Coordinates of all heavy atoms in Angstrom, one line a residue:
Chain A
A211 N 132.9 10.3 239.7 CA 133.9 11.3 240.1 C 134.8 10.8 241.3 O 136.0 11.0 241.1 CB 133.2 12.6 240.5
Y212 N 134.3 10.2 242.2 CA 135.0 9.6 243.3 C 135.9 8.5 242.9 O 137.0 8.4 243.4 CB 134.1 9.3 244.5 CG 133.5 10.6 245.2 CD1 132.2 11.0 244.8 CD2 134.3 11.2 246.0 CE1 131.7 12.1 245.3 CE2 133.7 12.5 246.6 CZ 132.5 12.9 246.2 OH 131.9 14.0 246.7
M213 N 135.3 7.6 242.1 CA 136.1 6.5 241.5 C 137.4 7.1 240.8 O 138.5 6.6 241.0 CB 135.2 5.7 240.6 CG 135.9 4.6 239.9 SD 134.8 3.8 238.8 CE 134.8 4.8 237.4
I214 N 137.1 8.0 239.9 CA 138.1 8.7 239.0 C 139.3 9.3 240.1 O 140.4 9.2 239.8 CB 137.6 9.6 238.1 CG1 136.9 8.9 236.9 CG2 138.7 10.6 237.6 CD1 137.9 8.2 236.1
M215 N 138.8 10.0 241.0 CA 139.8 10.6 241.9 C 140.6 9.6 242.6 O 141.8 9.9 242.8 CB 139.0 11.5 242.9 CG 138.5 12.8 242.3 SD 137.9 14.0 243.5 CE 136.3 13.4 243.8
S216 N 140.1 8.4 242.9 CA 141.0 7.4 243.5 C 141.9 6.8 242.5 O 143.0 6.4 242.8 CB 140.2 6.4 244.3 OG 139.2 5.7 243.5
Q217 N 141.4 6.7 241.2 CA 142.3 6.2 240.2 C 143.5 7.2 240.0 O 144.6 6.8 239.7 CB 141.5 6.0 238.8 CG 140.5 4.7 238.9 CD 139.7 4.7 237.6 OE1 138.7 5.3 237.5 NE2 140.2 3.8 236.8
I218 N 143.1 8.5 239.9 CA 144.1 9.5 239.9 C 145.2 9.3 241.0 O 146.4 9.4 240.7 CB 143.5 10.9 239.9 CG1 142.7 11.2 238.7 CG2 144.6 12.1 240.2 CD1 141.9 12.4 238.7
E219 N 144.6 9.1 242.2 CA 145.6 9.0 243.4 C 146.4 7.8 243.1 O 147.7 7.8 243.3 CB 144.8 8.9 244.7 CG 145.6 9.0 245.9 CD 144.8 8.9 247.1 OE1 143.5 9.1 247.1 OE2 145.3 8.6 248.2
R220 N 145.8 6.7 242.8 CA 146.6 5.4 242.5 C 147.7 5.6 241.5 O 148.7 5.0 241.6 CB 145.6 4.3 242.1 CG 146.3 3.0 241.9 CD 145.3 1.8 241.7 NE 144.5 1.9 240.5 CZ 143.5 0.9 240.2 NH1 143.2 -0.1 241.1 NH2 142.9 1.0 239.1
S221 N 147.5 6.5 240.5 CA 148.4 6.7 239.4 C 149.5 7.7 239.8 O 150.4 8.0 239.0 CB 147.7 7.2 238.2 OG 146.7 6.2 237.8
G222 N 149.4 8.2 241.0 CA 150.5 9.1 241.5 C 150.3 10.6 241.1 O 151.2 11.4 241.0
A223 N 149.1 10.9 240.9 CA 148.7 12.4 240.5 C 147.8 12.9 241.7 O 147.5 12.1 242.6 CB 148.1 12.5 239.2

Side-chain angles (χ1 to χ4, degrees):
Chain A
Y212 290 97
M213 178 183 78
I214 284 292
M215 286 192 281
S216 61
Q217 289 176 281
I218 290 172
E219 190 180 342
R220 178 167 72 181
S221 305

